[in-house]
Amino acid sequence: MTTTTAPLIEVAGLRKAYAGRAVVDGVSFSVGEGEIFGILGPNGAGKTTTVECVEGLRAADEGRVRVAGLDPVRDHQRLTRVLGAQLQESEIQPKLTVREALELYSAFYPDPLDWRPLAERLRLTDKLSTRFAKLSGGQKQRLFIALALVGNPRVVVLDELTTGLDPRSRRDTWELIEEVRAGGVTVLLVTHFMEEAQRLCDRIAVIDQGRVAALDTPAGLISRAAGSTVISFTPSAPLDADAIAALPALISTDRKPDGRVTLTGTDDTVTALLTLLARRHITAHQLRVSDATLDDAFLDLTGVGQS
């Protein structure tokens, strides 16, 4: 999604340190109104600290943060009228029922949403009389999403949106967030689910070791992956290693004991491989050709899982 309006969220040169160690070290990005902006990164990369500074829950040591023109710390009371948040770890009074929580949070705002359709959308209607302490982890998560949205915010921050949700609830929640954005709400989404980020986000900032390692659309990030194409097949006859190694733009080769070969490269690698197989009269059984994923781009950018 492209936007020509002024950024609704501005983060410039953000720095936050604990005990002399920089957890966030010069992070900068902006989010346009109506955009779903994702933040990805390994554990401990500084993602949650960054969004807590956006929410006004932590004060930055250096840098500038603005949300709808407001300083999240200095103007925190005004910020709560325009920003809703679902935190990574949250609790409410354990004896409150789901209905009481939704009614209470609605009362905090001048123009709240009708919480009943929201509860139905998040499959909480049959839990309205259930106390918070008796909810399952997934039900609590769905309630916190409802509480983040019930104030009818201009901006909503969602930290690990669907952690603990079953596949159906996860997809229902994705659809709800898409509907919320369609209604004009700006979404700042922190997630470690690559499928979630690829489906929902207009742009993504990859944060690694407290810094922005990359900022692009999901497609743009994927195009940066070292190998943009994965080819997997079982040859009908042995294919020597030297012939494979000579393929153009080849990034990696993996051979399984059952004879299956997986190559990472580009479209040029695919074309050359097919030519090689035809020339040697070798059939590629169960041939699969697929594009790189956001997972691949993430691993390339952060080095997670690499020795």
Side-chain angles (χ1 to χ4, degrees):
M1 175 182 175
T2 59
T3 178
T4 57
T5 61
L8 197 58
I9 301 174
E10 298 177 85
V11 177
L14 177 64
R15 189 177 186 279
K16 183 68 180 178
Y18 299 104
R21 184 178 73 87
V23 177
V24 178
D25 190 10
V27 166
S28 298
F29 60 85
S30 62
V31 183
E33 189 159 8
E35 185 175 20
I36 299 180
F37 188 91
I39 295 180
L40 293 178
N43 291 336
K47 306 184 302 296
T48 293
T49 299
T50 297
V51 298
E52 286 177 345
C53 290
V54 171
E55 295 162 332
L57 300 179
R58 296 186 188 275
D61 296 334
E62 298 177 19
R64 169 186 168 88
V65 181
R66 293 291 183 272
V67 180
L70 302 172
D71 182 307
V73 176
R74 188 180 63 239
D75 305 318
H76 189 69
Q77 186 170 355
R78 292 169 63 194
L79 181 71
T80 60
R81 298 299 180 96
V82 299
L83 183 144
Q86 170 258 325
L87 306 180
Q88 190 172 12
E89 296 182 6
S90 302
E91 290 291 328
I92 60 175
Q93 215 283 335
K95 292 185 178 181
L96 277 180
T97 66
V98 170
R99 182 191 300 275
E100 289 168 341
L102 289 165
E103 290 177 341
L104 177 64
Y105 274 64
S106 294
F108 294 155
Y109 300 96
D111 184 29
L113 296 175
D114 182 348
W115 59 261
R116 293 164 187 82
L118 197 57
E120 183 175 358
R121 190 73 178 81
L122 287 163
R123 296 197 288 122
L124 290 169
T125 303
D126 62 345
K127 297 295 178 181
L128 292 178
S129 299
T130 303
R131 298 186 188 278
F132 178 78
K134 298 296 184 180
L135 297 175
S136 69
Q139 290 161 354
K140 289 179 179 179
Q141 185 76 338
R142 297 203 303 273
L143 174 59
F144 286 129
I145 294 168
L147 296 179
L149 296 172
V150 75
N152 197 18
R154 289 182 64 192
V155 180
V156 63
V157 179
L158 304 169
D159 194 349
E160 303 296 357
L161 171 68
T162 57
T163 297
L165 298 188
D166 59 72
R168 177 188 169 187
S169 295
R170 180 172 296 129
R171 292 188 178 276
D172 286 348
T173 302
W174 291 350
E175 291 175 4
L176 174 63
I177 298 308
E178 289 169 335
E179 291 171 8
V180 165
R181 190 271 289 278
V185 177
T186 300
V187 180
L188 183 60
L189 173 67
V190 180
T191 182
H192 66 269
F193 288 117
M194 298 298 154
E195 183 185 1
E196 181 168 280
Q198 191 165 347
R199 168 166 171 171
L200 293 179
C201 296
D202 299 302
R203 292 186 300 139
I204 296 170
V206 178
I207 296 181
D208 189 26
Q209 298 180 20
R211 299 183 177 183
V212 176
L215 198 166
D216 209 334
T217 63
L221 292 175
I222 290 170
S223 71
R224 302 186 191 193
S228 59
T229 305
V230 179
I231 314 106
S232 180
F233 65 100
T234 301
S236 61
L239 192 58
D240 64 88
D242 288 342
I244 291 178
L247 294 171
L250 182 70
I251 303 297
S252 66
T253 304
D254 180 41
R255 291 175 178 265
K256 299 297 184 186
D258 63 1
R260 190 155 187 83
V261 178
T262 300
L263 309 178
T264 303
T266 68
D267 289 346
D268 291 340
T269 313
V270 178
T271 301
L273 172 66
L274 295 177
T275 300
L276 173 65
L277 294 175
R279 189 168 61 243
R280 299 197 176 187
H281 305 290
I282 295 174
T283 301
H285 294 296
Q286 296 178 314
L287 176 65
R288 300 286 185 273
V289 180
S290 59
D291 292 331
T293 65
L294 195 54
D295 260 325
D296 299 316
F298 178 80
L299 294 176
D300 284 346
L301 287 165
T302 65
V304 173
Q306 297 177 6
S307 58

